[in-house]
Amino acid sequence: MSVSKHGVFDELAVVGKAFGSAKRLELVDLLAQGERTVEGLARAAEMGVTTVSAHLQVLKLANLVQTRRQGTRIYYRLAGDDVAALYEAMLTVARTRSADVERALNAYLGVPDGGEVGLITREDLTRLLESGDAEVLDVRPREEYDAGHIPGARSLPFPELATALDELRGASTIVTYCRGAYCVLAHDAVRLLGGEGIDALRLEDGMLEWRTHGHPVEVGA
Amino acid sequence: MSVSKHGVFDELAVVGKAFGSAKRLELVDLLAQGERTVEGLARAAEMGVTTVSAHLQVLKLANLVQTRRQGTRIYYRLAGDDVAALYEAMLTVARTRSADVERALNAYLGVPDGGEVGLITREDLTRLLESGDAEVLDVRPREEYDAGHIPGARSLPFPELATALDELRGASTIVTYCRGAYCVLAHDAVRLLGGEGIDALRLEDGMLEWRTHGHPVEVGA
DNA sequence: CTATTCCTCCAAAGATCTTTGGAGGAGTCA
DNA sequence: TGACTCCTCCAAAGATCTTTGGAGGAATAG
């Protein structure tokens, strides 16, 4: 058999199992944005700390996450971009293969039936950034912006967007992005801006894909 | 949250769970080579028919496999190349992230400590095929060759290799391949030929990767 | 040193999966 | 039609996971 006995499939299944729980996937989704403490994850995902800790041990046993201690806190992060890439591959398969997922996603993201307009690819955004003629808005929580963002982007968490409308009215080209192709924040941002008469584009995916495709990432405030 | 509530993670976890069992991974591994009947899978993986059937239902519920009925048999196949790609991504992550997997694989494949020699990439093999100056040997079972192989390759299942040594002695460049990067047959073939004084290259991965990277595939005998 | 915070380990109850015989459905062949 | 093959569905026992309080370890501040 190609990989066959000798426990190789068992070892492999450890990785599969790690991705086989909704709660753990939610944690991976959060970690794909940057490192977080156990408590931070528990708060963000609305789970008990012990539950989060237990799930993190499973991920750690599969070598999918790594830790760093700072004072009394322990920061967890994905073990590498290949892990984020695997998560992304799973999202893609689930979406292509399951009308349920596709429907749930579109309903959740608020995508109109006719499909979406005003998208920009990572490549086009890269060119736009080089020309220096774009206002790129990172609408994720500031915590995630600090953990890594597109160089040149400005942190403007979605809840603060409404207070910055006047500033944005003059901008030439506005591009919003958030966590990944399935993150609702950038969708909401484009709708909010549109409602105010401000045209904005949306990066067709987000930080997850930006990372896994090897684009440059800037860390810090 | 980026994908958040609304059951999206639950839907996703269905896919993850499907990949979270050693037995199911073994079935996926077999199906990545081509379609098979339930009984065929049971024989190849040495599992009970009911067990295989139960696992196939899980894969089917996750929309990872599709079926085709022919007479009294039911043929199962992967639902698409993206599924094979996901499996491949899992193998890669498991291998990079876990010394256990890497060790188990190398021990199983019989890779010498100093690493391997005599590899050829898919790209180089494509060029070699165009020049028409290569003897490409598909050492998988004939059943899998029929379900799909590299155009121009010759089916020479590993057990029959020893009977064809004389024919091969005259060949200019010999390339062997089997199921994927972690398939032992091509490794064994190169070693067997080398022991007989016949130099042979090994495709660095195999049929799985050949498919997922969009190379042409020939079906039938 | 003590109190505090943040996290992990332990243990047990409850939930979910896996495996297996046996019954039964679907197609084929004579 | 009846006998046969291949497969799925059902049900139950056994195995494995998940969730949770509570105990305890590790770092820190005073």
Side-chain angles (χ1 to χ4, degrees), chain A residues 1-2 26 29 108 179 182, chain B residues 1-2 29 108 179 182:
Chain A
M1 308 303 101
S2 100
E26 193 165 355
D29 193 79
Y108 171 59
R179 292 167 177 167
Y182 311 114
Chain B
M1 306 306 102
S2 100
D29 193 80
Y108 172 58
R179 292 167 178 167
Y182 311 113

Side-chain angles (χ1 to χ4, degrees), chain B residues 25-43:
Chain B
L25 286 170
E26 193 166 356
L27 295 177
V28 169
D29 193 80
L30 287 166
L31 290 173
Q33 302 308 311
E35 60 174 16
R36 291 252 200 179
T37 65
V38 179
E39 241 197 345
L41 288 167
R43 222 177 318 110

Side-chain angles (χ1 to χ4, degrees), chain A residues 70-111:
Chain A
Q70 193 177 55
T72 149
R73 286 157 219 265
I74 294 177
Y75 286 86
Y76 276 82
R77 63 177 182 281
L78 293 191
D81 285 351
D82 55 338
V83 178
L86 178 54
Y87 176 56
E88 191 192 331
M90 257 195 66
L91 277 171
T92 308
V93 168
R95 193 184 171 192
T96 330
R97 294 282 143 231
S98 162
D100 284 349
V101 173
E102 181 70 8
R103 223 176 304 114
L105 278 171
N106 283 343
Y108 171 59
L109 296 173
V111 174

Side-chain angles (χ1 to χ4, degrees), chain A residues 1-6 11-13 16-17 19-20 22 26 29 44 63 79 82 90 93 97 101 108 179 182-183, chain B residues 1-5 11-13 16-17 19-20 22 26 29 44 63 79 82 90 93 97 101 108 179 182-183:
Chain A
M1 308 303 101
S2 100
V3 177
S4 181
K5 318 304 167 201
H6 300 78
E11 295 289 341
L12 248 190
K17 278 206 185 78
F19 276 100
E26 193 165 355
D29 193 79
N63 291 290
D82 55 338
M90 257 195 66
V93 168
R97 294 282 143 231
V101 173
Y108 171 59
R179 292 167 177 167
Y182 311 114
C183 172
Chain B
M1 306 306 102
S2 100
V3 178
S4 181
K5 319 302 167 203
E11 295 290 340
L12 248 190
K17 278 206 184 77
F19 277 102
E26 193 166 356
D29 193 80
N63 291 291
D82 55 338
M90 257 196 65
V93 167
R97 295 282 143 231
V101 172
Y108 172 58
R179 292 167 178 167
Y182 311 113
C183 172

Side-chain angles (χ1 to χ4, degrees), chain B residues 28-94:
Chain B
V28 169
D29 193 80
L30 287 166
L31 290 173
Q33 302 308 311
E35 60 174 16
R36 291 252 200 179
T37 65
V38 179
E39 241 197 345
L41 288 167
R43 222 177 318 110
E46 300 179 21
M47 303 182 206
V49 172
T50 32
T51 306
V52 169
S53 180
H55 283 305
L56 287 172
Q57 298 319 307
V58 176
L59 290 171
K60 201 173 181 183
L61 216 71
N63 291 291
L64 298 175
V65 298
Q66 294 175 343
T67 56
R68 170 174 82 81
R69 177 152 215 152
Q70 191 176 56
T72 150
R73 285 157 219 266
I74 294 177
Y75 285 85
Y76 276 82
R77 63 178 181 282
L78 293 190
D81 285 351
D82 55 338
V83 178
L86 178 54
Y87 176 56
E88 191 192 331
M90 257 196 65
L91 277 170
T92 308
V93 167

